[in-house]
Amino acid sequence: MAAKYITIAREIKKRIMSQQYPAHLPLPDQFALAQEFNTSRMTIQQAMRQLIVEGLVYTRQGLGTFIRKNFLQLSQWDLPGSDYFGATKTWENVGTVTSQVIKFELRFPDEKEQASLLIDADAPVYDFIRLRLLDGEPVSLEFTLMPVQLVPGLNKSHLESSVFRYVQETLDLKLMGSWRVVRALKPNEQDQRYLNCEPGDPVLEVEQVVYLDDGTPLEYAHCHYRYDHGGIIVVNHG
């Protein structure tokens, strides 16, 4: 059975999608929602955090919580996955997955990254780029950020094997799912170099936030796939 805040988040999402809440007005305040759903304000805060992670709403200090203006127009392109296990687990029955670490460093996040990961400017993040190969064939180029506080001890050997195995088995963190936006791009220099793309070849980009079962964002990433080497399967569970 889903946690109460998840059930509430789903109900609010349905109301947003059906335009029950006017797009130009703030959502009902947390006290009103807590009373309606017969729960605590903290549970409502968790539900709202979930919707922020999924890109449906945003908050403005002192003014309330608002629906993102472009969500209703663009939501058919935003593909919220259900469970997410990482490339190693996803492709383990297809072939051998290997990773080439192109960059691995620590730094502080910019404003977009802070908003995506719900962290402050002084919270360091791991910044790494990996080329993922399936049976030696380049499949994806992944640009990933993770908060250091959530994933202590991450090192190059984890990046070369499976980051999500380390997260789930060693750190015992529980993943709930991800929010994704899929778009087509022209290849950049790194795409051309590592994915063997021609300048005119389209690239499939998946921008995603992977989050834990309490709604905390674990990863903010941009994954690039060659047009002939990648596809996205989306299964929506009601």
Side-chain angles (χ1 to χ4, degrees):
M1 183 176 178
K4 187 167 187 176
Y5 79 90
I6 296 176
T7 302
I8 294 171
R10 287 174 178 167
E11 173 58 29
I12 294 173
K13 182 176 180 178
K14 287 179 183 178
R15 295 178 183 182
I16 291 172
M17 296 296 291
S18 65
Q19 301 185 35
Q20 183 174 336
Y21 291 136
H24 63 288
L25 296 177
L27 297 181
D29 64 42
Q30 293 179 0
F31 294 102
L33 290 171
Q35 184 174 14
E36 178 187 353
F37 289 103
N38 192 28
T39 190
S40 67
R41 187 183 174 197
M42 181 176 296
T43 299
I44 297 299
Q45 288 175 335
Q46 285 182 297
M48 287 303 175
R49 192 178 189 186
Q50 174 82 15
L51 296 175
I52 290 170
V53 170
E54 293 189 31
L56 276 73
V57 302
Y58 66 98
T59 59
R60 294 183 64 184
Q61 191 68 30
L63 296 177
T65 302
F66 294 82
I67 300 168
R68 287 194 180 275
K69 290 182 180 179
N70 63 344
F71 175 75
L72 295 176
Q73 289 81 14
L74 300 180
S75 59
Q76 67 265 37
W77 304 112
D78 299 356
L79 307 180
S82 50
D83 298 324
Y84 183 76
F85 305 101
T88 303
K89 181 73 173 178
T90 301
W91 296 329
E92 65 180 0
N93 296 320
V94 179
T96 302
V97 179
T98 55
S99 302
Q100 177 184 337
V101 180
I102 297 169
K103 182 180 83 168
F104 183 37
E105 64 182 34
L106 267 65
R107 64 173 176 84
F108 293 106
D110 63 25
E111 289 187 6
K112 172 69 183 295
E113 295 160 354
Q114 292 168 45
S116 297
L117 291 170
L118 299 180
I119 57 177
D120 296 327
D122 60 354
V125 295
Y126 300 108
D127 179 358
F128 53 93
I129 301 174
R130 292 188 295 173
L131 176 65
R132 314 306 296 274
L133 303 102
L134 183 62
D135 293 335
E137 181 74 17
V139 174
S140 68
L141 189 61
E142 301 177 357
F143 306 81
T144 307
L145 297 175
M146 285 185 167
V148 172
Q149 184 177 2
L150 282 181
V151 193
L154 187 69
N155 59 43
K156 188 178 178 182
S157 67
H158 299 133
L159 270 62
E160 291 173 338
S161 54
S162 172
V163 171
F164 282 94
R165 184 178 298 132
Y166 175 66
V167 165
Q168 293 177 294
E169 297 179 7
T170 304
L171 300 181
D172 197 30
L173 297 175
K174 303 294 188 293
L175 304 180
M176 183 167 65
S178 63
W179 165 83
R180 296 172 181 162
V181 178
V182 182
R183 59 176 68 89
L185 300 176
K186 293 182 179 179
N188 60 31
E189 289 185 9
Q190 289 173 312
D191 296 328
Q192 294 176 47
R193 177 179 178 183
Y194 294 105
L195 295 177
N196 302 325
C197 294
E198 295 296 329
D201 289 342
V203 169
L204 181 70
E205 178 184 74
V206 180
E207 179 183 3
Q208 67 185 25
V209 177
V210 176
Y211 45 93
L212 302 176
D213 60 354
D214 65 355
T216 302
L218 171 72
E219 169 193 285
Y220 176 50
H222 293 76
C223 305
H224 289 190
Y225 301 83
R226 269 180 48 152
Y227 75 95
D228 55 349
H229 283 186
I232 303 299
I233 299 174
V234 179
V235 179
N236 288 321
H237 299 280

